[in-house]
Amino acid sequence: MSDETRGMLLGLVGVAMFSLTLPFTRMAVADLPPVFVALGRALVAALLAGAWLAWKRAPVPPRSALASLAVVAVGCVIGFPWLTSVALRSLPASHGAVLVGILPLATAVFSALRGNEQPSAGFWGMALLGAALTVGFALRQSGGSLHPADLLMLGAVVLGAAGYAEGGRLARTLGGVQVICWALVLSAPLLAPVVLWLTWPHHAALAAAGPAAWAGFAYVAAFSMLIGFFFWYRGMALGGIARVGQVQLVQPFMTLAGAALILGEPLETSNFVFALAVIAVVAAGRKMQVRR
């Protein structure tokens, strides 16, 4: 099995874990404050990451990696979780999921801007087609106009894509697991006082939150913030950022299925038609040249 194929498969496992992030986030913010769900989960994940680094006796990352780790922290640890948590107070998980479908294109753009990879014109064509399908689906579901919270989701996509691209680049030398673990651990001292300050006025809501909300919080803390990245960054390191990033085009439709099963949100037959079309685009994109 080639490194590219292994990378695609590992990336798909990570995407499967990420695909349940929005349904479980919406479940969590039903009772818990969005800021606690967004930043508190990062602190829990940081504790798990610190335990893993100590168990593996992982060396401290070199100073040259700190700037890249900061980008990962701002994009994946803080920005994406915070903006999506706020947006999902008013957006259905199924709607937000489709907007996240443009993440592969945004990730490829950031990778190209950083000079990591040079996708061919055919690859860009497939990426644009996949993004057009997902945005068209979002407009179709919302009756031709976007919700105000869509701006938050799009901002989350931009920050998340920057973190994905930078983390995938750094994973080639530091290792995918260490990238997300160190990003979490290094951001924890800054996040802890902020979380305490912002969530203290809502301590009554924390005490009154039900089991479903805490179950959603536990999932996004363990899988969305940590374990999923183990597979995702390793996959990008093996198969390339732009190419493996295209696997994420199927994430919105996995999320739609998860939202239907977990939250009972309606799932239409047309969803599967769009899913098949996006999968076809991913398959075609794999055949396009990407110079690394």
Side-chain angles (χ1 to χ4, degrees):
M1 183 183 297
S2 66
D3 283 349
E4 181 179 305
T5 301
R6 288 174 57 203
M8 295 287 282
L9 291 175
L10 289 171
L12 184 60
V13 173
V15 164
M17 294 182 183
F18 293 150
S19 68
L20 298 180
T21 298
L22 296 187
F24 278 115
T25 297
R26 183 155 176 82
M27 182 187 297
V29 297
D31 290 346
L32 296 168
V35 65
F36 175 78
V37 174
L39 303 183
R41 73 194 197 188
L43 289 179
V44 174
L47 291 175
L48 298 174
W52 187 91
L53 291 171
W55 175 51
K56 290 291 185 178
R57 296 182 180 178
V60 176
R63 183 175 298 180
S64 59
L66 294 181
S68 294
L69 287 172
V71 174
V72 175
V74 171
C76 300
V77 176
I78 301 173
F80 186 88
W82 197 341
L83 294 180
T84 54
S85 294
V86 176
L88 288 173
R89 276 284 195 176
S90 55
L91 280 182
S94 56
H95 184 85
V98 182
L99 295 182
V100 175
I102 64 174
L103 253 177
L105 176 61
T107 301
V109 169
F110 275 104
S111 179
L113 290 175
R114 289 284 282 123
N116 300 325
E117 299 176 343
Q118 295 180 339
S120 64
F123 180 91
W124 284 116
M126 291 298 101
L128 287 170
L129 178 58
L133 281 170
T134 54
V135 172
F137 183 77
L139 291 172
R140 179 181 181 276
Q141 281 217 324
S142 60
S145 61
L146 298 177
H147 296 282
D150 289 333
L151 294 176
L152 293 176
M153 292 298 299
L154 292 173
V157 166
V158 171
L159 291 175
Y164 281 169
E166 195 66 22
R169 185 192 67 82
L170 188 59
R172 295 174 184 169
T173 55
L174 195 60
V177 175
Q178 291 199 41
V179 168
I180 188 60
C181 284
W182 281 115
L184 286 164
V185 169
L186 293 176
S187 62
L190 298 176
L191 287 177
V194 174
V195 171
L196 182 61
W197 178 54
L198 292 178
T199 60
W200 178 251
H202 306 284
H203 62 276
L206 297 179
W214 285 111
F217 178 82
Y219 183 91
V220 295
F223 291 93
S224 302
M225 292 297 299
L226 185 63
I227 299 174
F229 282 100
F230 286 11
F231 294 91
W232 181 241
Y233 279 147
R234 179 58 177 164
M236 286 197 292
L238 287 173
I241 297 170
R243 193 173 298 280
V244 175
Q246 295 304 294
V247 176
Q248 204 163 32
L249 282 170
V250 304
Q251 180 174 331
F253 305 98
M254 290 183 177
T255 303
L256 288 171
L261 292 173
I262 298 169
L263 302 174
E265 294 184 2
L267 183 62
E268 301 177 0
T269 304
S270 61
N271 295 351
F272 294 101
V273 175
F274 274 89
L276 290 174
V278 170
I279 291 171
V281 170
V282 174
R286 281 204 63 189
K287 299 178 180 179
M288 302 298 174
Q289 183 181 9
V290 178
R291 288 184 295 175
R292 301 177 63 183

